[in-house]
Amino acid sequence: MEQLLRSFFLFLSRNRMLTKLAKKYGLQFGASRFVAGESVEHAVKVIKELNRNGLDVTLDYLGEFIDDEKEAEEVARHLIRAIEAISTSDVNSQLSLKLTSLGLDISEQAVMQNMKRILEAAEKHQVFVTIDMEDYSRCAKTLAIFKELKSRYDQVGTVLQAYLYRTVSDLEDLQPYKPNLRLVKGAYKESEKVAYPDKNDVDKNFKEIIKMHLLNGNYTAIATHDEKIIEYTKQLVSDHQVSKDLFEFQMLYGIRPELQLNLVREGYRMRVYVPYGTDWYGYFMRRLAERPANVAFVIKGIVKK
Ligand SMILES: Cc1cc2nc3c(=O)[nH]c(=O)nc-3n(C[C@H](O)[C@H](O)[C@H](O)COP(=O)(O)OP(=O)(O)OC[C@H]3O[C@@H](n4cnc5c(N)ncnc54)[C@H](O)[C@@H]3O)c2cc1C
């Protein structure tokens, strides 16, 4: 049943007509539990509140289905405005972005040009930018672009996914760049030709890459809501006396907020991934697919109307 609901929400997340409708009618059905608002001004208010509670932020502008270079340039302009807003409002926030929203599927030249403009602004305002990792078909391209950008700009990092067989070798390959990496389990539906189908193998590989990256002395963001992985990391850093300045935990906005605050109280750096924008619908459906139990929030949202 859970599997069925998951597939259903993933199917809904890709529906273009529903995406358009959602844009027209604004944040609905309890989506504001996971999305900080439709404008950067709303998002800044949410960031301020999180910062007051000791939580750092990475801001994510939600964009889906880019069809041409003009739309990708528009997203880049928007992201530059978001960097400026972070800087002028003096909040503690980084930025996360997806290369597909900047033209990855259109042309390499387009995505590189957009990324360079964004990273010029990021360097100027000292706002760190993480390139999210998308599905397997984009992984090699994303890493190649990251390497090229990282050799020119400091304020950039990316993500590696524990479910992919290739990740340990990617991590080794990235070492010369001393990268700041976010490590995650992986969010996309991948073939077992490229990704571990068994959750236990994903967790084992996750622990392996956390250990490798941390003990190499590189900055590591452990992005998970899984308490077993969090406990593993705490033990690892304590055993190897890794400074708390060298790593952080990350979680999504609206998911396990108590656990987030507990980690802050224990003295760990905790960053919340805060999405905003009018294209909230696909993101919201993917969160429901991850955990169909969250559907209760949707039902409450509808009943409240
Ligand atoms: C900050 C951040 C950035 C990310 N960036 C990327 C990226 O760039 N690319 C990518 O592929 N993936 C990314 N992900 C998603 C990641 O790959 C996983 O799909 C996602 O985090 C779920 O895995 P988990 O590690 O939390 O563990 P899971 O094993 O999925 O969950 C562990 C426990 O966490 C709780 N939980 C998990 N999800 C939810 C939920 N939706 N609602 C309520 N409770 C929940 C449950 O108690 C669950 O038992 C990111 C995740 C985070 C937190």
Side-chain angles (χ1 to χ4, degrees):
M1 181 64 181
E2 188 153 307
Q3 197 50 45
L4 209 69
L5 274 172
R6 185 161 291 135
S7 304
F8 176 61
F9 283 116
L10 286 176
F11 164 76
L12 290 182
S13 77
R14 290 188 291 264
N15 187 298
R16 285 192 180 217
M17 198 186 76
L18 291 174
T19 302
K20 272 194 188 147
L21 271 178
K23 229 180 196 173
K24 192 167 160 201
Y25 291 107
L27 274 187
Q28 299 271 350
F29 310 138
S32 58
R33 181 182 173 223
F34 301 110
V35 180
E38 294 192 296
S39 67
V40 73
E41 289 75 24
H42 277 116
V44 164
K45 277 190 197 151
V46 170
I47 299 175
K48 283 186 175 160
E49 183 59 29
L50 292 166
N51 285 171
R52 263 197 291 278
N53 289 322
L55 297 154
D56 298 347
V57 168
T58 181
L59 187 62
D60 169 54
Y61 174 58
L62 295 168
E64 312 257 330
F65 313 127
I66 289 297
D67 288 322
D68 59 42
E69 284 190 24
K70 279 212 170 77
E71 282 175 0
E73 278 169 25
E74 183 49 41
V75 173
R77 270 193 293 277
H78 187 98
L79 291 174
I80 291 167
R81 284 198 297 275
I83 288 172
E84 289 163 355
I86 289 171
S87 170
T88 53
S89 56
D90 206 21
V91 286
N92 182 344
S93 181
Q94 302 182 345
L95 187 78
S96 288
L97 53 79
K98 289 189 174 49
L99 292 185
T100 47
S101 72
L102 294 163
L104 183 69
D105 296 344
I106 300 165
S107 86
E108 194 172 326
Q109 202 197 350
V111 75
M112 278 309 271
Q113 248 168 27
N114 286 328
M115 276 308 293
K116 283 178 186 165
R117 285 169 49 221
I118 291 166
L119 290 178
E120 294 294 336
E123 299 272 312
K124 180 174 165 202
H125 295 286
Q126 293 294 293
V127 174
F128 191 81
V129 175
T130 298
I131 302 172
D132 286 350
M133 188 56 75
E134 300 180 66
D135 65 296
Y136 180 78
S137 69
R138 279 124 179 168
C139 178
K141 268 201 263 179
T142 301
L143 291 177
I145 289 172
F146 167 70
K147 285 193 217 168
E148 196 172 332
L149 292 168
K150 178 67 179 144
S151 48
R152 288 183 57 171
Y153 302 98
D154 284 335
Q155 300 288 335
V156 62
T158 191
V159 179
L160 289 182
Q161 298 154 319
Y163 64 12
L164 295 184
Y165 302 135
R166 57 175 289 163
T167 290
V168 166
S169 126
D170 284 336
L171 192 53
E172 283 162 356
D173 183 50
L174 287 175
Q175 285 318 302
Y177 297 84
K178 299 201 176 311
N180 173 328
L181 292 179
R182 175 195 302 152
L183 305 178
V184 299
K185 288 191 187 182
Y188 297 82
K189 199 166 168 46
E190 300 291 2
S191 141
E192 58 185 66
K193 289 195 186 118
V194 300
Y196 294 103
D198 185 338
K199 205 172 152 16
N200 292 322
D201 291 328
V202 177
D203 289 355
K204 198 164 149 233
N205 205 38
F206 199 13
K207 289 178 181 169
E208 176 64 25
I209 59 174
I210 291 169
K211 187 171 180 185
M212 277 174 72
H213 201 53
L214 266 174
L215 299 190
N216 277 333
N218 292 313
Y219 196 88
T220 311
I222 302 102
T224 184
H225 313 97
D226 186 336
E227 284 179 74
K228 289 199 287 300
I229 300 289
I230 293 169
E231 286 310 314
Y232 166 82
T233 307
K234 286 182 184 172
Q235 192 60 51
L236 183 78
V237 296
S238 154
D239 290 349
H240 295 271
Q241 293 169 2
V242 178
S243 157
K244 281 185 175 159
D245 294 337
L246 260 185
F247 71 98
E248 66 187 39
F249 293 108
Q250 294 188 355
M251 291 187 209
L252 303 179
Y253 179 60
I255 300 184
R256 317 217 58 184
E258 268 312 309
L259 182 57
Q260 296 177 10
L261 291 173
N262 284 343
L263 288 166
V264 172
R265 284 182 206 113
E266 288 170 38
Y268 295 102
R269 189 176 290 166
M270 173 72 231
R271 189 176 304 281
V272 185
Y273 184 103
V274 174
Y276 77 98
T278 50
D279 264 331
W280 54 271
Y281 168 81
Y283 177 86
F284 180 44
M285 288 298 137
R286 286 195 293 278
R287 296 293 76 77
L288 294 181
E290 248 167 33
R291 193 165 159 81
N294 282 334
V295 175
F297 288 95
V298 179
I299 293 167
K300 269 191 213 153
I302 295 169
V303 171
K304 259 201 237 152
K305 299 263 144 213

